[in-house]
């Protein structure tokens, strides 16, 4: 009985045994279910992959009902407490925590690849003064493929690892320069004597001083935020990374596509949307009316809800603690009170409780970024920097997976059957969309 699923096709009365492996049936096993020999076979219809596993993966584990997140088996709470971003990136990419020697080597390699080709700088200078930094990041990451044409040799392990190091190293430089660009400030070159987050803060905020000294509490807060955002299994952007990578394109092009997916307000753009929302609400007294508006269908409570978590997002819990550490240095962000009140009301309200809508990672991260004096447009970029490690881990796993084929879903065709072309003079009416061209 165990290990298989028996289904009866009521169209034909035939019965089939479909093997169950790792809690799943293979969708392809449905293809044998046909009404006759000409039938293509049964397919499963699952827009948005609500109940479809698109990969076997050993990287990140989420139990959404219990609010559990682990990277390679290690609880996110322990990594946030004990680890560094580069160590966590190593863990995600290679499966085990590094030894001292391995970490030193990895950190050295990343540190010495933080510089960008000078032509990349000219490219960035060509953007308008008010260009969205996420648009800049996406474009510049894609452009990097033209600087490293060997990156297309995705079957070569050494080449793959070289691009992994380059991307983890260079994305923060692009991110910081996109910020400097928006401020009309000169771009700051990386400082190889600094650690990953201290160097990033230096490229962001260094002015006339010979060396930028980041506040240790802020450096650590950023490190924790980066650890929390490093991976999140098969989310929209990881899925984009894997799908694009399945065409065997170079990782720069694939990562530009993943970053584009992250940019959307339902994904990594949510932290930007949360801040806009909190700003619109303005003060604690306006919270109840805003919540009523959301319940009446006027928009969503941004930073709430998750496809997988039906419990408090464990990252949001840790971020709340980080916020306190940051506010001790920067002073309290007044929007925090609005956020806390929103959370309090929402967690008691039947609408949110019955739909299991809890704060997600984006609910508090934006408040911290704002306290660090980052513009809201930079928030999705702050998400993309650490997620680079996760995207690359997902990509590496996919590229060497013997089961990987080019991602190519089926469709349920809903259009017209075959019909004959009619000359334009004889057409009674065009498409309703044609009204657009009147
Ligand atoms: N505010 C109000 N109602 C909501 C919200 C929300 N934030 N999220 C979901 N709902 C309602 C939704 O209207 C639906 O209600 P009903 O059953 O009456 O139609 C129900 O909850 C289920 O929603 P869904 O859209 O089917 O859920 P989903 O799994 O497709 O969407 C989500 C997940 C994250 C896109 C969604 O919760 C959302 O839009 N949240 C706000 C945006 C956000 O914070 N995104 C960041 C996600 S975490 C960071 C990341 O991983 O990128």
């Amino acid at each position: 009985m165990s290990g298989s699923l028996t289904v009866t096709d009521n169209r034909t009365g035939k019965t089939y045994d479909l093997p169950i492996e790792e809690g799943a049936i293979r969708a392809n096993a449905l293809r044998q279910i046909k009404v006759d020999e000409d039938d293509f076979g049964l397919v499963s219809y699952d827009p948005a992959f609500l109940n479809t596993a698109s990969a076997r993966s050993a990287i990140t584990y989420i139990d959404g009902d219990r609010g559990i997140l682990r990277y390679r088996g290690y609880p996110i709470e322990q990594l946030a407490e004990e680890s560094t971003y580069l160590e966590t990136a190593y863990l995600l990419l290679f499966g085990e925590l590094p030894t001292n020697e391995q970490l030193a080597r990895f950190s050295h390699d990343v540190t010495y690849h933080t510089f960008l080709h000078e032509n990349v700088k000219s490219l960035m200078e060509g953007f308008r003064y008010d260009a969205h930094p996420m648009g800049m990041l996406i474009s510049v990451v894609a452009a990097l493929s033209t600087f490293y044409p060997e990156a297309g040799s995705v079957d070569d392990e050494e080449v793959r690892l070289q691009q992994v190091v380059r991307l983890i190293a260079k994305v923060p430089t692009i991110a910081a320069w996109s910020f400097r660009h928006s401020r009309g400030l000169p771009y700051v070159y990386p400082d190889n004597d600094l650690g990953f987050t201290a160097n990033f803060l230096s490229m962001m905020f260094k002015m006339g001083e010979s060396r930028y000294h980041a506040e240790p509490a802020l450096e650590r807060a950023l490190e924790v935020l980066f650890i929390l955002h490093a991976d999140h299994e098969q989310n929209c952007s990881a899925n984009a990374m894997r799908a694009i990578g399945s065409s065997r394109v170079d990782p720069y092009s694939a990562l530009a596509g993943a970053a584009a997916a992250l940019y959307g307000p339902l994904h990594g753009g949510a932290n930007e949307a949360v801040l806009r929302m909190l700003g619109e609400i303005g003060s604690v007294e306006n919270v109840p009316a805003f919540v009523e508006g959301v319940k009446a269908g006027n928009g969503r409570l941004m930073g709430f809800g998750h496809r997988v978590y039906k419990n408090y997002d464990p990252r949001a819990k840790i971020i709340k603690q980080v916020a306190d550490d940051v506010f001790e240095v920067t002073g309290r962000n007044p929007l925090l009170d609005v956020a806390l009140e929103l959370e309090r009301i929402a967690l008691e309200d039947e609408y949110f409780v019955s739909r299991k809508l809890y704060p997600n990672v984006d609910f508090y991260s934006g408040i911290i970024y704002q306290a660090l004096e980052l513009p809201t447009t930079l928030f999705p970029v702050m998400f993309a920097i650490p997620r680079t490690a996760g995207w690359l881990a997902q990509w590496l796993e996919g590229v060497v997976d013997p089961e990987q084929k080019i991602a190519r879903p089926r469709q349920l065709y809903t259009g017209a059957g075959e019909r004959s072309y009619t000359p334009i003079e004889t057409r009674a009416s065009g498409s309703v969309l044609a009204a657009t061209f009147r």
Side-chain angles (χ1 to χ4, degrees), residues 3-5 18-27 29 51-56:
S4 76
L5 172 74
L18 311 181
I20 299 175
E21 287 163 23
E22 299 171 80
I25 58 156
R26 297 224 166 212
N51 196 38
T52 294
S54 62
R56 297 180 74 248

Side-chain angles (χ1 to χ4, degrees), residues 249-300:
V249 75
D250 68 87
Y252 300 98
S253 304
L255 202 132
L262 186 76
Y263 192 5
L266 297 187
H267 192 6
N271 51 16
E272 190 178 344
V274 169
L275 252 282
R276 290 192 209 294
M277 175 188 78
L278 294 177
E280 273 163 33
I281 298 172
S283 65
V284 170
E285 311 82 79
N286 299 333
V287 169
F290 182 81
V291 171
E292 286 311 311
V294 168
K295 286 160 59 179
N298 304 327
R300 290 197 160 194

Side-chain angles (χ1 to χ4, degrees), residues 306-335:
H306 199 275
R307 171 63 58 79
V308 182
Y309 292 120
K310 300 303 167 198
N311 199 326
Y312 212 100
D313 181 338
R315 301 168 300 171
K317 261 188 213 151
I318 301 169
I319 285 187
K320 256 176 127 174
Q321 293 158 18
V322 174
D324 290 338
D325 300 342
V326 168
F327 295 154
E328 259 184 42
V329 179
T330 62
R332 193 176 162 87
N333 185 337
L335 289 181

Side-chain angles (χ1 to χ4, degrees), residues 1 38 158 178 308 347 371:
M1 292 282 278
D38 294 337
E158 208 176 306
S178 69
V308 182
L347 291 183

